[in-house]
Amino acid sequence: MDSVSCHLVKNLPSIKEGDDLAEMIEDRFALRDGDIVCIASTVVSKSEGRFRRIEEYTPTARAKEIAGELDKDPRFVQAVLEESEDILLDRPFLLVATSFGHIGVNAGIDQSNVGQGRILLLPECPRESANRIRRGLKKDCAVIVTDTCGRPFRCGVAGVAIGWSGIAALRDWRGKRDLEGRELEITLEAIVDEIAGMANLLMGEGGDGTPVVVVRGFEHPKSGGKLFRPRELDVIRDRLQEKDRRS
Ligand code: GDP
Ligand code: MN
Ligand code: MN
């Protein structure tokens, strides 16, 4: 594998509920077997009708309390809480775990690129979304649903994978040898995040209108690997919630 190429899919319209993303992509780009089709979660959500109006939410006392501290609309906080399985931080921002295992600020709810007065929830289950879109493609491709996220410890947002299909989340280097012949012990590489990062770089965050990137030439394992760290192995989360309980 000497090189990999990345291609923006141009001329996609504003996505509406019910749009068939697989068909729309294939109409505009000549996919080949083995391509990895990276799709911004924003447009997956739009096609799945995940728009909500802020007025639809009735804040609970808890939502009002958090909203007061964060200086946010309590109805928005309520929307975040309804998309959350677990709260890791409630200040200085809401960091939560979604039902499908992804941890993100505001449960990944977007207010940009969605229109006035509306919010857009993440897909209910991005892995199922990725499976469905992949099944809709005529070519034998992998699909990665991406989102732009902040990261702990590092400034700046970056693209990550929140759903994938036809590609392993992790590449396993265990048992392989380094340059000096030492056996690698614990190296699992999050290839879907690395690919999502590159795709996100091309998509942009603003009004470019380019939510799909095709990555070509990367040979990858087809399945396996857990991207979301199982709760019982997540020591950072333990510590965050421990500190929260003490304060
Ligand atoms: P996110 O990273 O999934 O939250 O999505 P962003 O809001 O950052 O958008 C990623 C890319 O998709 C940007 O180039 C946006 O302009 C583009 N985009 C968002 N919605 C649409 C849409 O409905 N149609 C098209 N063609 N592009 C969109
Ligand atoms: Mn987003
Ligand atoms: Mn983005």
Side-chain angles (χ1 to χ4, degrees):
M1 202 163 24
D2 288 342
S3 64
V4 171
S5 61
C6 299
H7 311 263
L8 276 174
V9 175
K10 298 285 183 64
N11 300 318
L12 284 160
S14 177
I15 301 301
K16 307 271 180 299
E17 179 169 4
D19 278 351
D20 183 337
L21 289 175
E23 187 181 286
M24 294 171 97
I25 294 165
E26 281 190 321
D27 281 350
R28 289 165 180 79
F29 192 90
L31 287 176
R32 296 187 198 153
D33 289 342
D35 285 346
I36 304 168
V37 183
C38 303
I39 311 176
S41 51
T42 297
V43 293
V44 176
S45 290
K46 287 179 178 179
S47 74
E48 294 177 1
R50 300 281 285 161
F51 292 107
R52 297 292 180 270
R53 295 213 150 267
I54 198 79
E55 307 85 69
E56 289 173 39
Y57 292 91
T58 311
T60 57
R62 172 110 170 95
K64 286 181 190 159
E65 184 192 323
I66 296 172
E69 289 218 22
L70 299 182
D71 197 22
K72 283 217 175 272
D73 187 324
R75 298 167 302 177
F76 179 78
V77 171
Q78 182 63 29
V80 174
L81 296 183
E82 290 184 20
E83 294 306 302
S84 306
E85 287 260 289
D86 192 18
I87 300 174
L88 283 77
L89 288 175
D90 59 9
R91 66 198 132 83
F93 48 77
L94 262 169
L95 182 69
V96 304
T98 65
S99 59
F100 59 90
H102 169 65
I103 292 173
V105 173
N106 294 334
I109 298 177
D110 270 330
Q111 290 170 295
S112 60
N113 284 326
V114 295
Q116 271 299 314
R118 292 203 297 182
I119 59 171
L120 187 64
L121 311 179
L122 284 181
E124 200 168 348
C125 181
R127 285 187 79 159
E128 274 171 26
S129 309
N131 281 332
R132 177 177 42 77
I133 295 166
R134 186 163 77 98
R135 278 197 305 271
L137 296 170
K138 292 182 196 77
K139 295 291 177 181
D140 182 13
C141 299
V143 169
I144 298 178
V145 177
T146 69
D147 195 17
T148 309
C149 288
R151 294 100 32 93
F153 312 116
R154 307 177 78 92
C155 295
V157 294
V160 297
I162 61 167
W164 53 94
S165 177
I167 180 169
L170 306 175
R171 178 159 66 176
D172 194 348
W173 290 92
R174 286 173 298 187
K176 304 263 182 354
R177 299 197 174 270
D178 73 4
L179 281 172
E180 275 75 43
R182 275 177 57 134
E183 198 170 300
L184 301 170
E185 282 169 8
I186 48 162
T187 314
L188 292 171
E189 182 185 11
I191 56 173
V192 286
D193 279 340
E194 293 180 308
I195 297 165
M198 182 65 211
N200 196 71
L201 182 67
L202 284 187
M203 288 174 191
E205 302 298 338
D208 294 353
T210 46
V212 181
V213 168
V214 176
V215 175
R216 180 166 289 167
F218 181 69
E219 288 157 30
H220 57 83
K222 296 272 187 273
S223 66
K226 271 200 170 75
L227 189 65
F228 303 126
R229 198 185 292 284
R231 178 66 191 89
E232 64 277 13
L233 300 178
D234 195 338
V235 294
I236 303 290
R237 201 161 155 187
D238 283 344
R239 284 303 179 93
L240 278 177
Q241 293 179 322
E242 196 179 285
K243 180 166 169 284
D244 215 41
R245 275 198 300 277
R246 272 200 239 117
S247 63

